[in-house]
Amino acid sequence: MRRAVLPPEPHRDGAKPPPIPAELVPKHVAIVMDGNGRWAKERGLPRTEGHKRGEDSLFDVIMGAIELGVPYLSAYAFSTENWRRSPDEVRFLMGFNRDVIRRRRDQLNSMGVRVRWAGRRPRLWRSVIKELETAEEMTRHNDVLTLQFCVNYGGRAEIADAAAAIARDVRDGRLNPDKITEKVFARYLYEPGIPDVDLFLRSSGEQRTSNFLLWESAYAEMVFLDTLWPDFDRRHFWHACEVYASRDRRYGGALPNPVEPTAATG
């Protein structure tokens, strides 16, 4: 018997999701939560304040995704390149990610959200890994929404790690190299059970992927919005999903162009 879950909190202004037909709602949305630092700078605040404000934006978007019926959401929480930031900011982000997961996991669980973690273990704080794994275990049976936290994640790193795992299996005789296909390769990614990205969404006006879910986003629709992440909420998310629903997704195929009939000659 499926346990009862709490519905998402309504938007503070009473906004409702747009009437997008179910077949046009993206199944997997990947989000680059960009603009925290610029938001804080514009207000004369330290960068850390932008990150703190961004937590509320993420959870409002999660609720909006549930309302719209999006089953998979991936959030770029800390990249393999973020280690290049100042030691103070890296320490803050490690502790912040750990504390957000600890603070919010009961709320996520109550809404039926399943938490998954994608990323590399090396260098990542053990306390962060512990909180991520605890959240994964706590929410493993939930099926309203799967939330993939990408922490110490890089798209190239994921592909390199998959290639290394394949090489080991070939070396040990568990895999025939002549049988490696795209489908086989995908089984070696961090979370092979999560489908490819349909909608790749980035805030703040920047128009690049920043090494996020490169393999999974091969056929994703890209939507870049100018709003800085701390000012983002579910209405921006819904707008991006409306843009997605209006796109013509052909996956490399195309219909023949209509040809005007020519007049018969006598």
Side-chain angles (χ1 to χ4, degrees):
M1 182 177 178
R2 183 176 179 178
R3 71 178 181 86
V5 297
L6 294 178
E9 297 172 4
H11 186 267
R12 62 183 180 275
D13 293 335
K16 300 295 183 183
I20 302 175
E23 66 274 14
L24 297 180
V25 172
K27 300 296 185 294
H28 183 185
V29 181
I31 304 179
V32 179
M33 305 176 289
D34 194 23
N36 294 335
R38 274 170 285 166
W39 182 91
K41 184 177 180 180
E42 288 176 359
R43 290 158 177 78
L45 300 171
R47 290 175 58 86
T48 52
E49 291 304 311
H51 296 307
K52 291 177 182 177
R53 176 67 177 264
E55 176 185 346
D56 291 334
S57 298
L58 173 60
F59 279 82
D60 197 75
V61 164
I62 290 169
M63 292 178 190
I66 293 172
E67 288 182 306
L68 190 60
V70 173
Y72 294 91
L73 196 66
S74 292
Y76 209 3
F78 189 90
S79 78
T80 50
E81 289 75 28
N82 286 156
W83 295 105
R84 301 172 188 168
R85 297 188 177 184
S86 71
D88 286 344
E89 186 171 3
V90 168
R91 280 193 295 271
F92 171 81
L93 288 170
M94 284 291 104
F96 182 65
N97 279 303
R98 176 196 61 210
D99 295 345
V100 166
I101 297 159
R102 180 189 299 153
R103 182 166 58 246
R104 296 282 195 161
R105 67 188 177 205
D106 288 341
Q107 179 185 10
L108 292 170
N109 190 39
S110 69
M111 294 191 298
V113 175
R114 174 176 173 251
V115 175
R116 303 298 299 165
W117 164 45
R120 281 180 162 175
R121 286 178 175 269
R123 298 187 73 180
L124 190 57
W125 286 11
R126 287 193 296 272
S127 59
V128 178
I129 294 173
K130 179 182 176 182
E131 295 301 335
L132 286 164
E133 291 180 337
T134 298
E136 284 186 317
E137 176 63 21
M138 175 187 291
T139 64
R140 69 187 187 280
H141 297 305
N142 294 341
D143 60 4
V144 173
L145 170 79
T146 294
L147 174 63
Q148 179 175 225
F149 277 115
C150 296
V151 187
N152 199 24
Y153 174 88
R156 288 182 173 181
E158 179 179 27
I159 292 169
D161 289 348
I166 288 172
R168 288 191 292 271
D169 279 355
V170 169
R171 178 198 63 196
D172 296 340
R174 292 191 292 267
L175 182 63
N176 182 344
D178 294 328
K179 300 296 185 181
I180 298 172
T181 62
E182 291 181 13
K183 186 175 181 179
V184 169
F185 191 96
R187 293 206 300 263
Y188 286 82
L189 298 174
Y190 293 149
E191 287 291 336
I194 294 179
D196 283 349
V197 175
D198 295 310
L199 169 58
F200 188 105
L201 171 59
R202 184 172 187 145
S203 60
S204 89
E206 301 292 348
Q207 299 188 24
R208 55 181 178 271
T209 63
S210 292
N211 197 23
F212 187 41
L213 296 174
L214 298 179
W215 178 280
E216 296 88 344
S217 297
Y219 279 99
E221 295 295 326
M222 305 287 181
V223 175
F224 303 104
L225 300 182
D226 291 336
T227 306
L228 299 176
W229 182 250
D231 291 327
F232 220 85
D233 69 13
R234 70 188 79 181
R235 293 170 299 181
H236 300 91
F237 178 81
W238 291 338
H239 171 65
C241 290
E242 287 182 297
V243 173
Y244 167 85
S246 71
R247 301 267 178 93
D248 181 16
R249 308 189 77 207
R250 296 188 298 274
Y251 298 98
L255 295 174
N257 289 336
V259 178
E260 293 292 334
T262 57
T265 56

